[in-house]
Amino acid sequence: MATIATAVASAHAPGVTGWFEKASPAAQQSVGDAFTALGDQIADARLDALLIIANDHIENYPPHDYPDFAVGVGARHSGPDEWFKPWLNVADYEMPGAPDIARTLFEQLAGDSLRVVSAETMKFDDNISVPVTMTGFATQKIPLIPIMQNCTVPPVPDHRASYAFGQRLGRVIREELPPGLRIGLYGSGGLSHEPGGPRYLSIDEEFDRWFLSLLADGDHEQVLRQATHERMEAAGAGGTAELLSWLVVMGAIGEHPCDVLCYEAVPDWRCGVGAVRWTL
Amino acid sequence: MALEHFSTYFDRDLATHRLVQDLKADRDARELLHRDEAAVLDAYDLLPAERAGIEQRDFRALYLLGVHPYSLAQLARLLYGTVEGAGASEASSALVESLLRDEPAPS
């Protein structure tokens, strides 16, 4: 059986790469150190592939025909998409994919109540570009498998559906992938923000700190009871629910302790920025 | 009137969604948008109110018609420009100002 060798999550707010210096020096230090710690953990895990689960942001699919999850099965992945370059201010990156692993994941995950598709090529905005840049993963040459998630186009697979998808993902990794493989999981998105909505310039710091403390407690049933999709939407419509990608990771690994590495509410970033890692 | 959650109004079939996706992928079309906006909009089957909302930068009207907020934010950046190194940029400020235009003052 394959092993889930590391599991982490972080925000992917574009301000973290695009206008990092708008934060105080202390906030820059805290967030920079957290991403460095995630990068070290990924490097030390000797992974055969890292799965990054992230909101698609209506980038690869039109809203009238929107899948719940899309697995990137290509041999190479590159970014960021051209239009996002001046906004994100990250170096271009090209990373190896893991087509065999990705196809097995896709074939085993497709066909239940959720709509799961696959794609050879995908466009990436902040969803993949911020984490791979800030952790240094973009240059580590570890194979990447992007999994794009619908966190924002109604009807969104909610907290329990996302967690259940994660449970199936965990089972497929452990039972269907070749023995000895080491897989990493990275939930990318959140925390509170409302892109394009009336609270676009606001952060719900109280929700964010509450959510992170709930995760640190490690009781997943409590997380699912309290940190509902509805509660996420109340803390910033359309954006905060990217935390559903964190729930996918939690479903895959099961209950484990979680360390909160940072949290900063920088007004100019327009998004609560935090990062966690689970002890497996 | 306070705006409800976007899903109250969301209309996945509005042509604005396709317009925004196409513009993101096509540099020539983006340049044309700034030279001759009407020529770009003519190529899409926009509702009259949808087209007026774009032409008048009336993001509140587009939100109420059912354009997804992500597409609204990107439309604002396509129309106002993406400012490198900016936080609360002209695009996001214009968007929020429009959305909150008729909101009651906070008590």
Side-chain angles (χ1 to χ4, degrees), chain A residues 135-240:
Chain A
T135 61
F137 176 66
T139 56
Q140 288 182 14
K141 302 303 175 194
I142 299 165
L144 166 70
I145 300 175
I147 299 185
M148 297 288 122
Q149 181 172 1
N150 174 17
C151 300
T152 196
V153 178
V156 171
D158 69 5
H159 50 291
R160 291 207 180 263
S162 297
Y163 190 85
F165 178 82
Q167 289 177 310
R168 289 196 294 281
L169 174 63
R171 186 194 63 75
V172 171
I173 291 170
R174 284 185 285 269
E175 296 179 12
E176 305 292 343
L177 293 181
L181 287 184
R182 295 173 63 81
I183 304 297
L185 300 177
Y186 193 130
S188 168
L191 285 67
S192 67
H193 63 308
E194 185 167 288
R199 293 176 293 171
Y200 196 7
L201 308 181
S202 311
I203 296 170
D204 189 337
E205 181 173 349
E206 187 181 345
F207 168 87
D208 290 343
R209 292 193 183 278
W210 168 79
F211 179 80
L212 290 170
S213 67
L214 197 57
L215 256 57
D217 289 345
D219 181 340
H220 286 194
E221 185 50 34
Q222 279 307 314
V223 173
L224 292 172
R225 278 176 198 265
Q226 296 186 42
T228 60
H229 180 228
E230 193 177 22
R231 183 72 189 83
M232 293 174 189
E233 289 295 292
T240 312

Side-chain angles (χ1 to χ4, degrees), chain A residues 46-57:
Chain A
R46 296 174 286 110
L47 299 175
D48 294 291
L50 178 69
L51 278 59
I52 302 184
I53 301 108
N55 186 5
D56 174 65
H57 295 139

Side-chain angles (χ1 to χ4, degrees), chain A residues 11 26-27 30-31 34 190-192 203-210 212 246 260-266 269 271-275:
Chain A
S30 160
V31 171
L191 285 67
S192 67
I203 296 170
D204 189 337
E205 181 173 349
E206 187 181 345
F207 168 87
D208 290 343
R209 292 193 183 278
W210 168 79
L212 290 170
W246 297 32
V260 177
L261 298 178
C262 73
Y263 178 74
E264 298 292 340
V266 177
W269 286 352
C271 179
V273 171

Side-chain angles (χ1 to χ4, degrees), chain B residues 8-55:
Chain B
T8 308
Y9 316 105
F10 179 54
D11 180 351
R12 67 191 68 247
D13 294 320
L14 290 177
T16 297
H17 295 119
R18 191 160 56 83
L19 167 72
V20 170
Q21 282 198 311
D22 289 351
L23 286 169
K24 284 190 291 179
D26 186 341
R27 182 193 295 264
D28 292 341
R30 293 199 295 275
E31 287 172 2
L32 181 60
L33 182 75
H34 293 295
R35 283 201 317 277
D36 187 352
E37 186 172 313
V40 173
L41 300 186
D42 284 347
Y44 291 85
D45 192 16
L46 297 159
L47 303 171
E50 205 179 354
R51 178 158 181 150
I54 296 170
E55 289 173 339

Side-chain angles (χ1 to χ4, degrees), chain A residues 18-19 22 55 57-59 61-64 82-84 86-87 152 154 195-198 200 233 237-238 242 268 270, chain B residues 5-6 10 12-13 17 21 24-25 27 30 68-70 73-74 77-78 82 84-88 92 95-96 99-100:
Chain A
W19 47 98
K22 297 268 184 181
N55 186 5
H57 295 139
I58 320 183
E59 179 65 10
Y61 302 93
H64 67 267
E82 186 251 335
W83 184 62
F84 293 91
W87 195 53
T152 196
Y200 196 7
E233 289 295 292
E242 291 175 345
D268 271 315
R270 305 192 303 249
Chain B
H5 186 273
F6 73 88
F10 179 54
R12 67 191 68 247
D13 294 320
H17 295 119
Q21 282 198 311
K24 284 190 291 179
R27 182 193 295 264
R30 293 199 295 275
H68 192 286
Y70 273 101
Q74 294 181 341
R77 294 216 307 281
L78 288 160
T82 294
E84 252 175 279
S92 55
L95 170 54
V96 171
L99 288 175
L100 298 181

